[in-house]
Amino acid sequence: MRKPELLAPAGSFDMLYAAIAAGADSIYMGGRQFGARAFASNFDEGELQRAIALCHFHGLKAYITVNTILKDGELDEGLRYAQSLYQMDADALILQDLGLARELHNRFPDLALHASTQLSANTKQTLEQLEQMGFSRVILARELRYSEILDLVSSTQMETEVFVHGSLCVSYSGKCLMSSFLGGRSGNRGRCAQPCRQLYQIQMANGKEKGTRGPLISPCDLSLYEDLPKLVEAGVHSLKIEGRMKKPEYVYAVVQSYQNHLNGQQQHNPFSLEEVSNRGFTKGVFGDAYGKDYYLQPQGSGGGYPVGVVEKKGKGRQIRFTQPVSRGDGLELQLRRKKIPLTLTESGEPGELLLLDAYPDAMEGSIVARVSNVRLRNMDFQGIVEEKREPIELKLQAHVGEVPRLEARGLGHRIELVGERALEKANKNPLDQSQAQRQLEKLKDSPFYLENLIVDTDGASYMAVSELNGLRRGAVEELTAAISNRNQRGVPSSSPLMVNMVRRPLRATEISLHVKKFDTALLSDPLLDRIVTNGIEDVDPALSGAEKLLYSMPLVGDPDVLDRFHGSFGPRSGIYANNLGDFTLYNGDRSITAGLGMQVSNHLVINALRERGASRFLLSPELTLEEMEAICQRTKDRIEVFVYGRLPMMILRNCPAAALIDCDRICHRCRFQRGHHLVDAEKRSFPFYREGQRTIVLSHLAISGLEHIDRLRMMGVNSLAISVESTSEYEKIRPLIEKIRKGQRIDPIEIREKLGPTGPGHYTMPID
């Protein structure tokens, strides 16, 4: 059975050295732009080149993250950056932006592309589409059970990659707008402010609050250490450790522990996973964790390796150590209401006691945990790597009347250097084995050691020491360069992105009404051009193919919905595709609109999705009016813009209510099914409800761009998307829709009077 690749994070050179020293097989890292961890140290382009070469020299692959969505004005720079990574010999690029992926696959067909977890790949249909688009690997969504991973791995020719350790996002990656709309920092741009880590309270449908404020949507850290044999058996190609913003000692301890386990040495881990950064561990959806075994618990962050226990001593307390501890270790001590840090000033052995003079109220029987290991913190990871020399074999040919030749072999590569002039006959001291050995084994300043030397000489030639040394230095340099350039790429032809500016005429703007629950009466409303519903079960199949009626597919792939659609609705029934798997429904007749879930943020994404079958494109709500206009000027395709309604902020596989109750997962009879809200510290109230196996968390206010409709019309936008939760909400906005159809301006005061407070969206507020 094939051993999977262990893939480690590196947000800095210190972390990179730690990963190599610990035995990682591959590294993923990012540059200073277009990466989903913008707040990691990251590497500039010169550092990236060095880092890639360092990986290759030690036999590791280097994958570079370019996994954010791009705006139209960034495409040329994004392409230039990707071309630079190609020339640096990056082994693969990790991508979210489908437009950029399509362009790179066309330009550099020999460059491996990995589909980022930001694409929420969780169905066979999605994997099928990714493979057709040229991806060679897919990083599966983190919200998958073991049985689902088994099914997906067996369904594709692509390599599969699975997260096994580290921090979890509570929302499906790539489907979260919470940070963007609350603070202007987009998770889809690598700048998430982590609103999920804040404290929330649940407000019931009757207005009463349930429980105390706590981390209701903040998951523990993932750890699948115990389940590695299952993943190996499943045939997963790569096991990924999260943590580009963690410390080097975290990388070292986690990589070493997992690699030892994969090699059958799980009992020989010198450092514990518990004593490096963690928020307590969960097996996540993989292990069917759902509520209290998934979310962080209010009493603390968890974590730490048990090294002692608190005992009573008179009126005070003391620690009895159960494990060896060292001076400088960081411990965590449990008091009655909180955990506090304690740094050791002396070392201790099992059975020894430490009097807690300053903490007489420490809880008797409490576990004392080590959360920072001084030995691990003080390790010289760079020194370990630099001492890790690789074997080299040299063969020297030296004959009178011929130029000398030095062949070098190492790490699967071979190079040959030729001297500058033919050798002369020696008057005395001709070149022999011992003389050649003395000079050619001087490799201390190189990353090699001499494993074998062959000297082919006639015993009569003279060769200067300086010439021998020069050949040795040249061989080391050329062999190092050959190893670093393992993919042997040439210099690609550079061509700028060709863009045809399109003059878009002023258009009569259409209205697409998005409704949660379908009402047949809407089909006869003359103000509406399209009615879009995500409640497929509410629609009479007899209406299948009705021109005005379209179906919005789930924001995260759902095979059951696809099966129901195939079974109940005709080939002309139009859809809003919200994940790549939905494009398997394309049949030439069906109208497909790329919906919110497709992150249409630039015209290259439009090009890519048009090839999949889309004929209309709903732009990302994270774009400003100027950014929308840039897209409109570069395409003749039909464009739709969201102008009113509550946006889905998060899509969760778990349920926030499960953090408070003993959940039986029978959602249809749960009192938290509908009409409940998450309330944050600023009293913002976010409605949430279960839809199938997922929780949808909506924005606390409806987002409105109704006051910008004149501008949108001038840009040539074809359709306006308006979303309502109920028919009563539609009746409130209907007078404003009448004004839109008549081409009349809508005043912000009128919007407030008819619809109440609304959120401004990003129409005039760009995101980071």
Side-chain angles (χ1 to χ4, degrees):
M1 193 172 291
R2 180 185 55 78
K3 176 178 171 287
E5 163 193 88
L6 187 60
L7 178 57
S12 66
F13 269 108
D14 288 340
M15 295 173 70
L16 177 58
Y17 282 119
I20 296 172
D25 298 309
S26 296
I27 305 290
Y28 69 100
M29 50 193 158
R32 301 276 169 85
Q33 51 190 341
F34 308 126
R37 286 292 180 269
F39 299 120
S41 297
N42 294 318
F43 302 85
D44 63 29
E45 290 192 31
E47 290 169 336
L48 269 178
Q49 187 151 22
R50 285 174 48 214
I52 292 169
L54 182 65
C55 288
H56 288 177
F57 182 79
H58 290 286
L60 288 74
K61 290 187 176 181
Y63 309 139
I64 312 302
T65 59
V66 193
N67 56 339
T68 62
I69 58 172
L70 276 67
K71 302 174 185 179
D72 243 69
E74 298 170 323
L75 290 175
D76 280 316
E77 176 59 20
L79 286 169
R80 184 212 63 78
Y81 177 56
Q83 178 173 305
S84 178
L85 296 173
Y86 176 87
Q87 291 177 250
M88 290 179 199
D89 207 39
D91 293 284
L93 302 189
I94 302 171
L95 300 170
Q96 175 189 7
D97 192 290
L98 295 174
L100 181 64
R102 172 187 175 273
E103 192 73 19
L104 292 179
H105 183 59
N106 290 339
R107 291 180 180 226
F108 314 120
D110 60 333
L111 175 62
L113 304 180
H114 294 180
S116 170
T117 193
Q118 293 286 111
L119 288 166
S120 302
N122 70 324
T123 68
K124 293 179 182 179
Q125 292 86 352
T126 298
L127 268 58
E128 175 187 321
Q129 294 289 308
L130 288 169
E131 191 168 355
Q132 290 176 11
M133 295 183 74
F135 286 97
S136 59
R137 177 183 293 190
V138 56
I139 305 166
L140 297 177
R142 284 174 275 195
E143 296 78 9
L144 291 168
R145 296 188 178 95
Y146 172 60
S147 59
E148 293 168 327
I149 291 174
L150 269 176
D151 199 29
L152 291 175
V153 171
S154 65
S155 74
T156 182
Q157 295 299 309
M158 287 187 295
E159 296 175 352
T160 51
E161 183 174 304
V162 171
F163 276 92
V164 294
H165 196 92
S167 298
L168 283 170
C169 292
V170 71
S171 174
Y172 279 85
S173 296
K175 305 294 185 184
C176 184
L177 297 175
M178 186 78 96
S179 175
S180 171
F181 278 82
L182 293 187
R185 285 168 46 180
S186 171
N188 292 312
R189 304 268 293 169
R191 290 170 168 79
C192 181
Q194 297 189 313
C196 55
R197 304 304 192 207
Q198 304 304 312
L199 303 183
Y200 293 86
Q201 195 167 20
I202 289 183
Q203 186 181 71
M204 311 280 280
N206 60 11
K208 293 183 179 180
E209 293 179 337
K210 171 74 175 177
T212 58
R213 193 173 301 281
L216 301 184
I217 54 172
S218 183
C220 297
D221 282 4
L222 179 68
S223 179
L224 299 184
Y225 177 85
E226 295 175 354
D227 296 288
L228 290 184
K230 285 185 175 182
L231 290 163
V232 173
E233 184 180 358
V236 171
H237 184 89
S238 181
L239 307 177
K240 187 170 195 170
I241 296 165
E242 182 277 336
R244 281 192 288 147
M245 295 177 67
K246 301 286 178 65
K247 294 181 178 179
E249 53 264 34
Y250 163 90
V251 175
Y252 184 84
V254 177
V255 170
Q256 187 180 62
S257 294
Y258 275 77
Q259 195 65 279
N260 284 351
H261 194 354
L262 288 170
N263 293 331
Q265 302 172 327
Q266 60 265 41
Q267 302 303 319
H268 304 287
N269 297 328
F271 302 109
S272 166
L273 294 172
E274 286 81 5
E275 60 189 322
V276 290
S277 174
N278 73 86
R279 297 157 50 81
F281 290 129
T282 177
K283 291 190 178 183
V285 175
F286 179 95
D288 209 28
Y290 190 75
K292 295 177 182 178
D293 54 352
Y294 180 81
Y295 291 111
L296 190 67
Q297 293 304 296
Q299 61 264 30
S301 62
Y305 178 64
V307 295
V309 64
V310 175
E311 296 180 347
K312 189 173 182 179
K313 180 176 176 61
K315 294 183 179 180
R317 298 290 187 270
Q318 63 187 11
I319 297 174
R320 182 178 297 276
F321 291 115
T322 56
Q323 297 290 332
V325 291
S326 301
R327 178 181 179 180
D329 279 352
L331 306 186
E332 195 170 68
L333 178 65
Q334 176 76 63
L335 297 186
R336 284 196 173 89
R337 295 185 180 275
K338 61 181 179 179
K339 294 178 180 179
I340 64 168
L342 173 67
T343 301
L344 289 177
T345 57
E346 298 293 337
S347 297
E349 295 295 326
E352 291 187 9
L353 301 172
L354 175 66
L355 189 62
L356 295 173
D357 293 328
Y359 311 107
D361 58 345
M363 295 172 63
E364 185 180 5
S366 293
I367 298 298
V368 178
R370 179 166 57 208
V371 293
S372 175
N373 187 312
V374 67
R375 289 189 301 125
L376 183 58
R377 281 201 320 271
N378 291 339
M379 288 185 71
D380 179 11
F381 301 120
Q382 182 174 349
I384 293 172
V385 171
E386 289 177 348
E387 285 296 316
K388 190 179 176 183
R389 298 175 183 274
E390 300 293 338
I392 187 175
E393 180 180 295
L394 298 177
K395 180 179 180 180
L396 177 67
Q397 291 179 294
H399 297 270
V400 174
E402 299 178 7
V403 292
R405 297 176 180 273
L406 181 64
E407 179 186 293
R409 294 177 182 268
L411 291 177
H413 293 265
R414 172 192 174 279
I415 62 99
E416 184 178 71
L417 265 72
V418 179
E420 295 181 356
R421 60 182 181 274
L423 298 179
E424 298 178 356
K425 186 175 181 179
N427 294 324
K428 59 180 180 178
N429 298 327
L431 180 68
D432 60 14
Q433 176 83 26
S434 61
Q435 184 183 356
Q437 178 103 19
R438 281 196 302 274
Q439 302 308 317
L440 294 179
E441 69 181 1
K442 293 180 177 179
L443 296 168
K444 288 186 178 180
D445 293 331
S446 82
F448 300 104
Y449 68 89
L450 185 61
E451 183 178 54
N452 188 36
L453 173 64
I454 299 172
V455 179
D456 176 9
T457 181
D458 54 14
S461 56
Y462 170 76
M463 192 169 183
V465 169
S466 60
E467 191 167 5
L468 267 174
N469 290 341
L471 282 176
R472 184 197 70 237
R473 285 192 294 268
V476 166
E477 289 175 4
E478 289 202 17
L479 186 59
T480 301
I483 293 169
S484 299
N485 185 28
R486 76 155 88 203
N487 295 301
Q488 298 182 334
R489 296 184 183 131
V491 178
S493 58
S494 178
S495 58
L497 188 65
M498 299 301 295
V499 175
N500 295 319
M501 302 299 286
V502 179
R503 183 179 295 276
R504 298 179 65 88
L506 188 66
R507 294 174 183 264
T509 310
E510 299 173 347
I511 302 295
S512 297
L513 184 72
H514 295 244
V515 293
K516 292 288 184 295
K517 190 174 179 63
F518 176 66
D519 183 343
T520 308
L522 293 171
L523 286 174
S524 58
D525 191 321
L527 296 180
L528 304 177
D529 297 285
R530 278 173 300 282
I531 297 92
V532 187
T533 178
N534 60 0
I536 291 178
E537 65 279 0
D538 298 328
V539 179
D540 184 346
L543 295 172
S544 173
E547 188 175 349
K548 289 176 66 170
L549 181 59
L550 291 91
Y551 309 90
S552 183
M553 308 304 282
L555 286 165
V556 174
D558 191 327
D560 292 338
V561 173
L562 282 173
D563 289 344
R564 287 204 307 273
F565 198 90
H566 272 299
S568 302
F569 296 90
R572 297 185 62 82
S573 299
I575 66 166
Y576 273 63
N578 284 305
N579 59 84
L580 267 177
D582 297 336
F583 288 91
T584 57
L585 292 172
Y586 179 64
N587 57 13
D589 291 327
R590 193 184 309 283
S591 165
I592 296 184
T593 300
L596 284 177
M598 297 313 305
Q599 296 287 6
V600 181
S601 57
N602 62 65
H603 80 277
L604 290 186
V605 176
I606 290 177
N607 293 344
L609 297 181
R610 188 193 311 111
E611 291 178 356
R612 303 286 98 200
S615 57
R616 183 187 300 268
F617 304 87
L618 178 55
L619 298 186
S620 166
E622 293 191 296
L623 298 175
T624 64
L625 293 169
E626 288 76 12
E627 290 159 353
M628 294 177 190
E629 186 169 19
I631 296 175
C632 289
Q633 290 175 346
R634 289 164 172 79
T635 180
K636 295 180 180 179
D637 295 278
R638 302 180 71 80
I639 299 297
E640 184 167 305
V641 170
F642 185 90
V643 294
Y644 177 80
R646 290 184 187 264
L647 283 167
M649 293 286 103
M650 291 182 175
I651 316 295
L652 289 61
R653 183 142 191 188
N654 276 264
C655 177
L660 297 178
I661 63 174
D662 293 323
C663 178
D664 60 9
R665 307 199 200 185
I666 306 177
C667 298
H668 70 270
R669 71 183 188 192
C670 178
R671 65 185 185 276
F672 294 100
Q673 169 63 1
R674 286 190 180 272
H676 298 83
H677 297 72
L678 279 171
V679 182
D680 68 7
E682 297 183 31
K683 299 298 181 182
R684 292 177 294 207
S685 183
F686 303 89
F688 71 89
Y689 60 91
R690 289 291 284 176
E691 182 178 271
Q693 297 184 33
R694 297 173 181 87
T695 301
I696 315 297
V697 180
L698 298 175
S699 55
H700 66 293
L701 293 173
I703 307 301
S704 176
L706 294 169
E707 62 268 40
H708 304 299
I709 286 174
D710 285 348
R711 172 78 180 274
L712 293 169
R713 190 181 285 119
M714 291 294 295
M715 286 158 46
V717 169
N718 306 91
S719 179
L720 304 176
I722 292 173
S723 176
V724 295
E725 302 296 308
S726 63
T727 52
S728 60
E729 186 179 6
Y730 172 61
E731 290 304 319
K732 289 181 181 179
I733 198 172
R734 194 175 188 280
L736 299 180
I737 295 176
E738 284 190 84
K739 296 189 72 171
I740 294 171
R741 299 311 298 256
K742 293 176 182 178
Q744 297 174 356
R745 182 178 179 275
I746 298 177
D747 189 275
I749 295 176
E750 188 177 7
I751 296 171
R752 195 160 50 248
E753 288 175 348
K754 292 191 179 299
L755 305 176
T758 58
H762 288 297
Y763 305 98
T764 60
M765 299 168 58
I767 57 173
D768 289 339

